[in-house]
């Protein structure tokens, strides 16, 4: 079963606007990661936030984590056409799981020029 | 700087045929993983390995076998391919303890 569930499934915005994607999960986590997948390519790691962190920034990306609500959000500011891709959250339960990640179904982001 | 390389990139099989997908990484990662990705779904873990000579089952292991004879290579085998195994297969690798995973570009497998 999928641990993470992303919302919305699809998002279409204009270049320069901000894009927000949400992820909910069900069990305790060690960390939560966001990945991007361009069409026909593999996933690329964007950002990792640990369970004891609440917010993290990387360039135009801002990730928040609320462990009490078991949710995370990814904000992309000043979006560009090149940001068009699918975005996935993935949770790492830690422990003896061998760093196994459980992925959500993804949000398809389209940024129109 | 190749990262994670998957071969082949595309393959068409007939039901009942066998094949092996190869994953190679040059980052000295301990952990390696095989996932499948189906339309409208996220990635699902098939098998993974936490070191040379070790393998473990993931979420959807049935119909697949794996081997990790060398640290840099992780092989995924289909002994008797079924149409339900039509998918895009991704290999990934990482350092231990919750580090980000690095992915290959996938193998697109169709089984007729």
């Amino acid at each position: 079963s999928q641990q993470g569930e992303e919302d919305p499934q699809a998002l279409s915005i204009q270049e320069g606007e901000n894009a927000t994607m949400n992820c909910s999960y069900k069990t305790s986590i060690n960390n939560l990661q966001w990945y991007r997948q361009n069409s026909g390519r593999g996933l690329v790691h964007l950002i990792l936030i640990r369970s004891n962190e609440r917010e993290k920034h990387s360039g135009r990306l801002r990730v928040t984590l609320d462990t009490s609500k078991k949710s995370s959000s990814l904000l992309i500011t000043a979006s560009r056409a090149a940001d068009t891709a699918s975005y996935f959250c993935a949770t790492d339960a830690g422990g003896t799981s061998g760093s196994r990640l459980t992925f959500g179904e993804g949000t398809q982001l389209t940024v129109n020029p | 700087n190749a990262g994670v390389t998957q071969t082949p990139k595309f393959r068409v099989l007939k039901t009942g045929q066998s094949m092996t997908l190869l994953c190679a990484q040059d980052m000295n990662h301990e952990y390696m993983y095989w996932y499948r990705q189906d339309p409208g779904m996220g990635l699902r873990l098939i098998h993974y390995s936490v070191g040379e000579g070790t393998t473990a089952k993931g979420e959807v292991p049935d119909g697949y076998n794996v081997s990790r004879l060398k640290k840099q290579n992780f092989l995924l085998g289909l002994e008797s391919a079924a149409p339900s195994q039509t998918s895009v297969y991704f290999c990934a690798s990482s350092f231990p303890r919750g580090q980000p995973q690095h992915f290959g570009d996938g193998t697109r497998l169709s089984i007729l």
Side-chain angles (χ1 to χ4, degrees):
Chain A
S1 62
Q2 296 294 316
Q3 161 84 307
E5 294 183 2
E6 276 115 326
D7 170 55
Q9 289 188 330
L11 179 62
S12 181
I13 60 174
Q14 297 299 122
E15 222 168 14
E17 294 180 340
N18 295 342
T20 300
M21 288 159 270
N22 302 298
C23 170
S24 60
Y25 58 92
K26 298 176 182 176
T27 62
S28 297
I29 62 170
N30 183 46
N31 67 65
L32 185 144
Q33 303 177 27
W34 286 90
Y35 289 79
R36 183 187 75 230
Q37 183 180 33
N38 290 94
S39 181
R41 303 298 300 273
L43 278 70
V44 174
H45 179 260
L46 295 175
I47 197 164
L48 181 154
I49 186 165
R50 302 192 187 284
S51 59
N52 61 353
E53 297 175 312
R54 292 296 168 259
E55 187 171 310
K56 207 162 183 180
H57 296 256
S58 177
R60 293 184 295 112
L61 305 180
R62 172 179 170 254
V63 168
T64 61
L65 179 64
D66 187 335
T67 54
S68 67
K69 295 182 179 179
K70 291 186 169 59
S71 67
S72 174
S73 67
L74 170 67
L75 168 67
I76 303 174
T77 60
S79 63
R80 306 166 181 168
D83 294 327
T84 294
S86 293
Y87 292 81
F88 294 89
C89 70
T91 53
D92 180 351
T96 59
S97 67
S99 289
R100 295 169 53 170
L101 293 179
T102 304
F103 286 84
E105 296 178 5
T107 293
Q108 173 61 52
L109 173 66
T110 301
V111 181
N112 301 298
Chain B
N1 191 9
V4 178
T5 302
Q6 293 184 233
T7 52
K9 297 189 185 309
F10 303 93
R11 186 73 184 267
V12 178
L13 290 179
K14 294 182 179 178
T15 298
Q17 287 184 319
S18 64
M19 78 162 296
T20 300
L21 282 64
L22 173 63
C23 177
Q25 53 95 5
D26 62 2
M27 295 171 283
N28 202 33
H29 285 161
E30 286 291 333
Y31 291 6
M32 296 187 75
Y33 315 81
W34 275 107
Y35 295 91
R36 60 179 288 173
Q37 184 177 35
D38 299 295
M41 301 183 71
L43 276 69
R44 292 184 292 168
L45 183 65
I46 304 171
H47 286 280
Y48 65 103
S49 168
V50 298
E52 183 178 321
T54 71
T55 63
K57 294 180 179 179
E59 182 185 354
V60 287
D62 294 343
Y64 305 95
N65 57 75
V66 288
S67 65
R68 182 102 181 266
L69 299 180
K70 293 183 179 180
K71 184 177 183 178
Q72 64 268 34
N73 296 336
F74 196 27
L75 278 63
L76 177 71
L78 285 72
E79 290 186 348
S80 179
S84 61
Q85 294 177 304
T86 293
S87 188
V88 182
Y89 291 86
F90 288 98
C91 176
S93 68
S94 74
F95 288 117
R97 298 190 188 88
Q99 295 303 305
Q101 294 184 12
H102 298 255
F103 284 79
D105 278 338
T107 294
R108 282 143 188 85
L109 182 61
S110 293
I111 299 163
L112 307 177

